[in-house]
Amino acid sequence: MSVTRRYRDVWEGFWEAAPERAGAVLWDAEPALTAGVHLALFEPHMTEYVLPVVDLGCGNGTQTRYLADRFPLVAGVDLAPAAIARARRLDPGGRVRFGVADATDPAAVRALHTELGDAQVYLRGVLHQAGPDDREALAGAVATLVGERGRAFVVEPAEAAGHILDALARDPEGPPLTLRPLLAHGIATGGLTEDQAPELFRAAGLRVLAAGELPLTTTAHRANGTRIELPARWLVVGRAR
């Protein structure tokens, strides 16, 4: 079985088992604390507001639906059919173009670009969960989707986030509830070093146009009730114009 196939099967199992209630998934925090914060950083760098927006690795579509309230055309793409089925159920009005696609497959990515044209891309917490070869392919997918006119906003947990999650996983009282399914399914909970993401996108032919640090909000809470925020880094990437 290929690495990509194993990865897809893991995520399919995760989404088939995950409860549908809001906040049941670790990264499914309210959009006002996630995509809303990211848009404030992203929008000043967008070249053309009317371009489609692609939420790459959209999961159940919580952030995608938020984006659809603010942009004319939004697409959500995920590797797992169970995630896309759930995203469609949660979008009964069909505001978002949800679809199953493997973003590490260049042919699938080119087909999406042919359909939508140049796009703005939102990539939140996807790279760190993929293996080294798939990370290169994902950066290449972003380069294909933004084309000449689009930009991408990328946010990834920092290396220190992995240490925090490891400590929580070893807590004598047990991990936070929304962290447990990730551990049970063997899904990576680490982070990227400071240089990894910028180097991936530069190798894919994109420039880093802006960068910074900010906490990545989760739905997990410590025993004292405080919400867990993970250190993270963000980038805006695109081609020079």
Side-chain angles (χ1 to χ4, degrees), residues 204-231:
L206 299 178
R207 290 179 56 202
V208 175
L209 305 172
E213 298 180 358
L214 82 173
L216 192 61
T217 303
T218 75
T219 62
H221 293 77
R222 299 184 185 277
N224 63 7
T226 59
R227 189 191 291 261
I228 294 169
E229 295 183 332
L230 300 174

Side-chain angles (χ1 to χ4, degrees), residues 134-205:
D134 285 342
R135 288 175 186 171
E136 292 178 8
L138 285 167
V142 170
T144 296
L145 292 172
V146 300
E148 298 297 326
R149 301 155 58 207
R151 297 286 186 261
F153 184 88
V154 181
V155 60
E156 288 290 331
E159 191 173 16
H163 303 319
I164 293 170
L165 292 173
D166 284 346
L168 291 169
R170 296 192 302 269
D171 191 305
E173 297 184 6
L177 288 177
T178 56
L179 177 58
R180 293 176 190 177
L182 296 179
L183 300 173
H185 285 84
I187 292 171
T189 56
L192 298 183
T193 63
E194 184 173 358
D195 294 333
Q196 279 181 298
E199 288 175 356
L200 284 167
F201 290 105
R202 290 186 186 109

Side-chain angles (χ1 to χ4, degrees), residues 32-206:
L33 303 176
T34 47
V37 174
H38 300 153
L39 272 184
L41 300 167
F42 189 16
E43 285 186 311
H45 299 279
M46 289 183 177
T47 49
E48 298 180 42
Y49 189 82
V50 296
L51 292 182
V53 175
V54 178
D55 185 1
L56 201 58
C58 66
N60 65 354
T62 297
Q63 313 306 321
T64 330
R65 294 189 298 277
Y66 177 89
L67 296 171
D69 288 335
R70 288 152 181 82
F71 295 94
L73 175 59
V74 175
V77 176
D78 202 276
L79 182 69
I84 292 300
R86 180 173 300 198
R88 287 172 175 159
R89 288 196 299 274
L90 295 171
D91 182 34
R95 294 177 302 150
V96 178
R97 294 189 186 184
F98 284 114
V100 177
D102 179 358
T104 67
D105 178 357
V109 175
R110 287 194 298 270
L112 184 60
H113 182 261
T114 297
E115 176 188 350
L116 297 176
D118 289 357
Q120 321 284 9
V121 176
Y122 182 54
L123 189 74
R124 180 176 70 107
V126 175
L127 286 171
H128 78 281
Q129 296 167 353
D133 291 342
D134 285 342
R135 288 175 186 171
E136 292 178 8
L138 285 167
V142 170
T144 296
L145 292 172
V146 300
E148 298 297 326
R149 301 155 58 207
R151 297 286 186 261
F153 184 88
V154 181
V155 60
E156 288 290 331
E159 191 173 16
H163 303 319
I164 293 170
L165 292 173
D166 284 346
L168 291 169
R170 296 192 302 269
D171 191 305
E173 297 184 6
L177 288 177
T178 56
L179 177 58
R180 293 176 190 177
L182 296 179
L183 300 173
H185 285 84
I187 292 171
T189 56
L192 298 183
T193 63
E194 184 173 358
D195 294 333
Q196 279 181 298
E199 288 175 356
L200 284 167
F201 290 105
R202 290 186 186 109
L206 299 178

